[in-house]
Amino acid sequence: MNEFFQLFNASDPANVATSVKLFLVLTVLSIAPGILILMTSFTRIIIVLSFVRTSLATQQMPPNQVLIALAMFMTFFIMGPTFNKVNKEALTPLFEEKITLDEAYDKASIPFKHFMSKHTREKDLALFMNYAGYSKPKKVEDIPMAALVPAFAISEIKTSFQIGFMIFIPFLVIDIIVASVLMSMGMMMLPPVMISLPFKILLFVLVDGWYLVVKSLLQSF
């Protein structure tokens, strides 16, 4: 432990450089989960799954832990080819000391850029490119990550909201029908949600809703 703190107290340039690198690594590791969430399919998946639960009005069923775990495993499944490219072209050569850390970063960013650019709207990307004053890129590899990541994030949020809207429509129709029937019967004091909930769950089960939602998410990528 003392040797660890001596790295930060030493005045030798080599030790200072090592201390700075260690500090940067710890910083990157602390924000890595947030970066990966915004650079992968996780955002779209978790928002759509949350819309499914909200449209069913089942409160906390399925629980948050289940939805997050499902979204994580689906993310690993969808991002598998991208992760394999990063491992093959960047991580493995870096660990074998065939390339430097800067070269590994450049090689690792390329597969992510190709994935994100496929699902990023030009309008969203242009918003951040113009604001930061970046020149128009000639190819995907030239797009700066500082502009691509937020553009990809808002594109994913918009796409997930569009999918969520389509999920809401059939359940909204059930709520309207149940509310109309209750009003016609003079049962205005009875909450329509209590009556419509079993019908929505029944409809969702009969059409194999989870299969259709997951299939739609996989096909969207």
Side-chain angles (χ1 to χ4, degrees):
M1 183 64 69
N2 291 332
E3 294 179 355
F4 176 81
F5 288 106
Q6 286 176 359
L7 287 174
F8 296 93
N9 296 327
S11 58
D12 183 62
N15 289 334
V16 173
T18 303
S19 303
V20 172
K21 290 181 180 179
L22 181 60
F23 176 76
L24 292 176
V25 169
L26 293 176
T27 303
V28 171
L29 289 177
S30 64
I31 63 175
I35 295 176
L36 288 177
I37 287 174
L38 293 180
M39 294 172 59
T40 64
S41 58
F42 182 85
T43 301
R44 182 188 304 187
I45 295 172
I46 192 62
I47 292 178
V48 171
L49 294 180
S50 299
F51 267 118
V52 172
R53 186 176 65 181
T54 303
S55 62
L56 287 171
T58 54
Q59 301 300 324
Q60 294 298 319
M61 287 296 166
N64 290 330
Q65 295 88 338
V66 175
L67 293 183
I68 293 175
L70 177 59
M72 288 180 60
F73 277 98
M74 288 183 61
T75 299
F76 289 135
F77 180 79
I78 294 171
M79 300 296 298
T82 302
F83 290 154
N84 289 334
K85 284 185 179 180
V86 172
N87 180 60
K88 181 180 179 181
E89 299 175 3
L91 294 181
T92 300
L94 177 63
F95 293 151
E96 295 177 353
E97 298 183 353
K98 295 181 180 179
I99 58 176
T100 63
L101 184 61
D102 293 336
E103 292 174 336
Y105 170 78
D106 293 335
K107 291 181 178 295
S109 63
I110 293 176
F112 281 102
K113 285 183 178 180
H114 280 280
F115 173 80
M116 290 188 290
S117 62
K118 291 180 181 178
H119 306 286
T120 302
R121 294 175 174 83
E122 293 184 6
K123 178 181 179 181
D124 297 331
L125 181 59
L127 171 65
F128 293 96
M129 294 286 291
N130 295 334
Y131 182 83
Y134 293 120
S135 58
K136 186 177 180 180
K138 297 181 180 180
K139 53 184 179 179
V140 174
E141 290 81 359
D142 297 334
I143 303 176
M145 293 292 284
L148 182 58
V149 172
F152 171 73
I154 62 175
S155 295
E156 286 292 279
I157 293 174
K158 180 178 180 179
T159 301
S160 59
F161 270 65
Q162 290 174 339
I163 298 174
F165 173 77
M166 299 303 296
I167 293 174
F168 255 99
I169 292 177
F171 300 113
L172 179 61
V173 172
I174 294 178
D175 287 333
I176 293 174
I177 294 175
V178 171
S180 300
V181 171
L182 291 178
M183 289 187 64
S184 64
M185 296 175 63
M187 303 174 65
M188 292 179 292
M189 299 301 295
L190 182 64
V193 177
M194 293 182 59
I195 307 300
S196 63
L197 179 58
F199 291 101
K200 290 192 289 187
I201 295 177
L202 178 62
L203 173 65
F204 196 69
V205 172
L206 290 177
V207 300
D208 201 357
W210 288 112
Y211 171 83
L212 294 177
V213 170
V214 172
K215 180 181 178 181
S216 299
L217 284 171
L218 293 176
Q219 292 178 342
S220 67
F221 289 102

